[in-house]
Amino acid sequence: MIERSTWIERIEDAWREAPIVWLSGVKGAGKTSLVRGLGTERMLYVDCDPVLSAHIGEDPELFFRACDRPVVAFDDIHRFPGAMAVLKTGADLFPRLKIIAASSTVAAGKTTDILGDRRRLIHLGPVLWDELPAFNVSLEKRLYHGGLPEVLLTAPRPAGFYREWMDTFFERDIQQSFAFRDADKFNMLFEYLLRQSGEPFETARASETLRISRPTVAEHVRALEATRAITIVRPFHGRGQKEIIKMPRVYGFDTGFVSFARGWDPLRPDDHDPLWEHVVLEYLETHVRDSQVQYWRWADDRKVDFIVPGTEDGVDAIECEWDPDVFNPAGLKLFRNWYPEGNNYIISPISMPGYEKHIAGLDVHICNPAGWLEKQRAADQG
């Protein structure tokens, strides 16, 4: 078993703030392996099959009182009727107990209302940039296969994996949680979003292209976002009169599925840039608090890939480039005319330490994702 130490540390840190960790992630992200990596000797593992776990819901206090270990892990808790009441009982009556609830959906709505400050959210995404050495795989393989551990460690890329995953995803996670009945419509939209991944999204255009009603498109997009099968990046705006203010960009959750949906087999050199942008977004989403990642775009299509909160009143601008030497600064320069405060980054898959460069009158820090995180932590400390 590959130890994902970054995620274990995040779970332990979250437990210092609250008794419940809600661990979300799509099917195959490695939630069960991560939970078991916390140490079976100190953990009671609960499979939340509705039949196997029914007795817990009947008398949760008795269940927790009989527990002789400091950690209780509920796997697939979204399948457990009455789970929120059970978690609340554990947190309120047994404050020294640490609870982890693994689910395919993000805790929201009634979950948030019932558990309140008793829980902290952690989303386990595909294998991150700085986890690649532990998995002993190249970045090119990560782009092509994607970041789900099972398929990332498989050679060659299994032809039927992605289609089978999508079918199972609908049956197990979508149909059960959202009561959708038409798998064909759902998967048609899902594949459409994967093919358009990273591009501006319009409900009306998707509806017209796929001949699916707008309400159905909207409902399915909400379900895909709730399960984090897509990430919606909304526009940053506030000063320029020609800024795009309403049209979000929608990203598929994993580069393997994006390359599969687009028929990129094998990858060509031109495919690296858009897939690298996905890898950077996954990294930012993991490390930016409250998922405050946005993008910026002007009416003439000049844009900045990602905008994140900076220090004080500034915002940081992040551009993603497979090769930093071919960077076009037009969008970044225009953005800084309107928003002058903040740091500028070009995040590239470079192995060397980050370095500063003066581009089009702007100071830009060029680094890999880990170098960006190091700069963020240094700014927080200083």
Side-chain angles (χ1 to χ4, degrees), residues 364-376:
V364 181
H365 186 73
I366 301 174
C367 59
N368 60 36
W372 167 83
L373 182 60
E374 183 180 346
K375 289 276 285 187
Q376 300 306 298

Side-chain angles (χ1 to χ4, degrees), residues 232-253:
I232 298 179
V233 180
R234 292 174 172 81
F236 177 89
H237 58 89
R239 294 182 182 174
Q241 295 180 351
K242 295 185 179 181
E243 293 175 316
I244 299 299
I245 64 174
K246 292 183 178 180
M247 194 180 302
R249 295 164 74 189
V250 175
Y251 287 81
F253 76 100

Side-chain angles (χ1 to χ4, degrees), residues 129-130 139 276 279-280 283-284 287 318-322 324 345-355 365-376:
W129 154 267
D130 44 16
L139 175 59
W276 172 246
V279 171
V280 173
Y283 199 88
L284 297 177
H287 293 290
I318 295 174
E319 300 278 27
C320 309
E321 291 289 348
W322 185 258
Y345 295 91
I346 296 176
I347 298 185
S348 297
I350 59 175
S351 57
M352 66 184 75
Y355 60 94
H365 186 73
I366 301 174
C367 59
N368 60 36
W372 167 83
L373 182 60
E374 183 180 346
K375 289 276 285 187
Q376 300 306 298

